[in-house]
Amino acid sequence: MAFRTPISRVRSVTEMVMIAITPIPPTISAIEEMAHQVLRLHRLTDLAAGTTINVGLARGGTRRNVVAAEAVAEIDLRVATLAEADRIVPLITGLTPVLPGAIVRVT
């Protein structure tokens, strides 16, 4: 059974975009970097605090036999209080790469 946060309890909804970029020619996969970041983001969900983070859209690469130089993920953040937003937004915008040489940007 699936549950959704009741909209009436949500005080703030923020949409962000995360972009993972690798050197040209890519020697590491931007999709692999994005996968690490998606796991980090989902671990920030705190249902007790009324905070949910969901990466609902993700895309990257150009072909299956080419190492992805760029990947993009769209993030949905919902918080119950402004204090929680003040706590969680810097954690998201301050994401750092896991893979050496990768770049992560959150806007």
Side-chain angles (χ1 to χ4, degrees):
M1 179 181 292
F3 296 95
R4 289 197 46 90
T5 305
I7 292 298
S8 61
R9 293 185 60 213
V10 174
R11 305 233 177 180
S12 177
V13 177
T14 302
E15 294 180 7
M16 299 179 185
V17 176
M18 177 184 62
I19 301 174
I21 305 169
T22 61
I24 302 295
T27 54
I28 56 173
S29 172
I31 293 173
E32 181 182 354
E33 178 63 39
M34 182 177 61
H36 287 289
Q37 300 301 331
V38 168
L39 293 172
R40 280 181 170 176
L41 288 165
H42 281 218
R43 283 193 296 266
L44 294 174
T45 291
D46 183 349
L47 297 177
T51 300
T52 59
I53 299 172
N54 181 55
V55 177
L57 294 173
R59 60 190 175 279
T62 56
R63 291 187 299 245
R64 69 174 184 244
N65 63 338
V66 177
V67 177
E70 183 174 302
V72 178
E74 295 185 30
I75 305 162
D76 179 78
L77 166 64
R78 296 175 187 234
V79 295
T81 66
L82 291 177
E84 180 63 2
D86 289 343
R87 182 189 77 82
I88 203 81
V89 168
L91 296 176
I92 296 171
T93 57
L95 288 172
T96 57
V98 172
L99 301 175
I103 298 169
V104 175
R105 293 187 185 133
V106 180
T107 59

